[in-house]
Amino acid sequence: MIKVILKRLLNAIPLLFMISIIAFLLIKLAPGDPIQSFVTPDMHPDDVERIRKSLGLDQPIHIQYMMWLQNTLSGNLGYSIISKRPVLDMIVERLPATIGLMGASLLVSLVIAIPLGMLTAVKKNTFFDRIANFISYIGISIPSFWFALLLIYLFSLKWGLLPSMGMRTVGEDSILDILKHGILPCTVLAFQNISVYMRYIRSSTIHQLEEDYVQIQYAYGSSKARVLYNHVLRNVLLPIITIIGLSIPSLVGGAFITETVFSWPGLGLLGVTSIFSFDYPVIMAITLFSSIMLVLGNLVADILYSVVDPRIRLRG
């Protein structure tokens, strides 16, 4: 298993290298100039060029990329053009907020989707099954930003039950306050995942209930709950682990939108702000960290796959 993990990590190096090249080219080809944030109406053109040279933006694009790559490999992600702060410090400050939000939404998705999907499979074609499928279609179809705005209007503006912005209330420093602020963004991220996971679990459970081993367990006198928990659940989890690995990119992308709508102080909000201000070092750092999160997320999914199914572990 250790060899497999090391091999996957080594294979991720050229992948991250290609992602960095593509991201750097897209940033440089995009319209806009970060120098505009420094320019004043009475500034002399020579001063503008001096600023451009001090930031290294007067070099050819391949030279700029090699300079960025050399600094990144040495552990130096550079300084933000706008805030003048070290990019690594900005990432470290906001990374826990993003990981916490993504982790909480993924945990909520699994806790709700697994029993709900198995229950709809057991009650196939009943009224409960039709209602659950209808709600899942809604969760898959609606845009996350529209759902976020709807929740803000209902729970914050109309009913005043939950805060609509930020991660903390001014003057409050408690876990309960953070949880209250995280309910709405976590709900937005989890709702679509619950809809997707539930449908896969329902389909997989229906297929497993038709297998011979289930009928044999019933013949031995096992109850339906015992069969579902001891036998069907393990086989149902296999495709779900795959779906989790495939849904990590959408979870990261959804975090960018959700954090922006709710002003959640994570990497998503920082990334969107940096894009609008053409803060190249911050954009590249967030792209790199997001790519690393995706690679590690898929690696964890593969490891969990081998834990659930020992046959995969034995084959390596």
Coordinates of all heavy atoms in Angstrom, one line a residue, residues 108-120 194 197-198 201-202 205 233 236-237 240 244:
V108 N -21.9 15.9 6.4 CA -23.4 16.1 6.4 C -24.0 15.3 5.2 O -25.0 14.6 5.4 CB -23.8 17.5 6.4 CG1 -25.3 17.7 6.2 CG2 -23.4 18.2 7.7
S109 N -23.3 15.4 4.1 CA -23.9 14.8 2.9 C -23.9 13.3 3.0 O -24.9 12.6 2.7 CB -23.0 15.1 1.6 OG -22.9 16.5 1.4
L110 N -22.8 12.7 3.6 CA -22.8 11.2 3.8 C -23.8 10.8 4.9 O -24.4 9.7 4.7 CB -21.4 10.8 4.1 CG -20.3 11.0 3.0 CD1 -18.9 10.7 3.5 CD2 -20.7 10.2 1.8
V111 N -23.8 11.5 6.0 CA -24.7 11.1 7.1 C -26.2 11.1 6.6 O -26.9 10.2 7.1 CB -24.5 12.1 8.3 CG1 -25.5 11.9 9.3 CG2 -23.1 11.8 8.9
I112 N -26.5 12.0 5.8 CA -27.9 12.1 5.3 C -28.2 11.2 4.1 O -29.2 10.5 4.0 CB -28.3 13.5 5.0 CG1 -28.2 14.4 6.3 CG2 -29.7 13.6 4.4 CD1 -28.5 15.9 6.0
A113 N -27.2 11.2 3.2 CA -27.5 10.5 1.9 C -27.5 9.0 2.0 O -28.3 8.3 1.4 CB -26.5 10.9 0.9
I114 N -26.6 8.4 2.9 CA -26.5 7.0 3.0 C -27.8 6.3 3.5 O -28.4 5.5 2.9 CB -25.3 6.5 3.8 CG1 -24.0 6.9 3.0 CG2 -25.3 5.0 4.1 CD1 -22.7 6.6 3.8
P115 N -28.3 6.8 4.7 CA -29.5 6.1 5.2 C -30.7 6.5 4.3 O -31.6 5.7 4.1 CB -29.7 6.7 6.6 CG -28.8 7.9 6.6 CD -27.7 7.7 5.7
L116 N -30.8 7.7 3.8 CA -31.9 8.1 2.9 C -31.9 7.4 1.6 O -33.0 6.9 1.2 CB -31.8 9.6 2.7 CG -33.0 10.3 2.0 CD1 -34.3 10.1 2.8 CD2 -32.8 11.8 1.7
G117 N -30.8 7.2 1.0 CA -30.7 6.4 -0.2 C -31.1 5.0 0.0 O -31.8 4.4 -0.9
M118 N -30.7 4.3 1.0 CA -31.0 2.9 1.3 C -32.5 2.8 1.6 O -33.2 1.9 1.3 CB -30.2 2.4 2.4 CG -28.7 2.4 2.1 SD -27.7 1.6 3.4 CE -28.1 -0.2 3.1
L119 N -33.0 3.8 2.4 CA -34.5 3.8 2.7 C -35.3 3.9 1.5 O -36.4 3.3 1.3 CB -34.8 4.9 3.7 CG -36.2 4.9 4.3 CD1 -36.5 3.6 5.0 CD2 -36.3 6.1 5.2
T120 N -35.0 4.8 0.5 CA -35.7 5.0 -0.7 C -35.7 3.7 -1.5 O -36.6 3.4 -2.2 CB -35.2 6.2 -1.5 OG1 -33.8 6.0 -1.7 CG2 -35.5 7.5 -0.8
I194 N -25.9 15.7 -1.5 CA -26.9 14.7 -1.0 C -27.7 14.2 -2.1 O -28.0 13.0 -2.2 CB -27.7 15.4 0.1 CG1 -26.9 15.7 1.4 CG2 -28.9 14.5 0.5 CD1 -27.6 16.5 2.4
Y197 N -25.4 11.8 -4.2 CA -25.1 10.5 -3.5 C -26.3 9.7 -3.3 O -26.3 8.4 -3.4 CB -24.5 10.9 -2.1 CG -23.2 11.6 -2.2 CD1 -22.7 12.3 -1.1 CD2 -22.4 11.7 -3.4 CE1 -21.5 13.0 -1.1 CE2 -21.3 12.4 -3.5 CZ -20.8 13.0 -2.3 OH -19.6 13.7 -2.4
M198 N -27.5 10.3 -2.9 CA -28.7 9.5 -2.6 C -29.1 8.7 -3.8 O -29.5 7.5 -3.7 CB -29.8 10.5 -2.2 CG -31.0 9.8 -1.6 SD -32.5 10.8 -1.6 CE -32.9 10.8 -3.3
I201 N -26.7 5.8 -4.2 CA -27.0 4.8 -3.2 C -28.3 4.0 -3.4 O -28.3 2.8 -3.2 CB -27.0 5.5 -1.8 CG1 -25.6 6.0 -1.5 CG2 -27.4 4.5 -0.7 CD1 -25.5 6.9 -0.3
R202 N -29.3 4.7 -3.8 CA -30.6 4.1 -4.1 C -30.4 3.0 -5.2 O -30.9 1.9 -5.1 CB -31.6 5.1 -4.5 CG -33.0 4.5 -4.9 CD -33.9 5.6 -5.3 NE -35.2 5.1 -5.7 CZ -35.5 4.6 -6.9 NH1 -34.6 4.6 -7.8 NH2 -36.7 4.1 -7.2
T205 N -28.3 0.1 -4.0 CA -29.0 -0.7 -3.0 C -30.0 -1.6 -3.7 O -30.2 -2.8 -3.3 CB -29.6 0.1 -1.9 OG1 -28.6 1.0 -1.3 CG2 -30.3 -0.7 -0.9
L233 N -24.8 -2.8 3.0 CA -24.1 -1.5 3.2 C -22.7 -1.5 2.7 O -22.2 -0.6 2.1 CB -24.1 -1.1 4.7 CG -23.5 0.2 5.0 CD1 -24.1 1.4 4.3 CD2 -23.5 0.5 6.5
V236 N -22.6 -1.3 -1.0 CA -23.1 -0.1 -1.5 C -22.0 1.0 -1.3 O -22.0 2.0 -2.1 CB -24.4 0.3 -0.7 CG1 -24.7 1.8 -0.9 CG2 -25.5 -0.6 -1.1
L237 N -21.2 0.9 -0.3 CA -20.2 2.0 -0.1 C -19.1 2.0 -1.2 O -18.5 3.1 -1.4 CB -19.5 1.7 1.3 CG -20.3 2.0 2.5 CD1 -19.5 1.7 3.8 CD2 -20.8 3.5 2.5
I240 N -19.9 4.6 -3.8 CA -20.0 5.9 -3.2 C -18.6 6.5 -3.0 O -18.4 7.7 -3.2 CB -20.7 5.8 -1.9 CG1 -22.2 5.4 -2.1 CG2 -20.7 7.1 -1.1 CD1 -22.9 6.4 -3.1
I244 N -17.5 10.1 -4.4 CA -16.9 11.1 -3.6 C -15.6 11.7 -4.2 O -15.4 12.9 -4.2 CB -16.6 10.6 -2.1 CG1 -17.9 10.3 -1.4 CG2 -15.8 11.6 -1.3 CD1 -17.7 9.6 -0.1

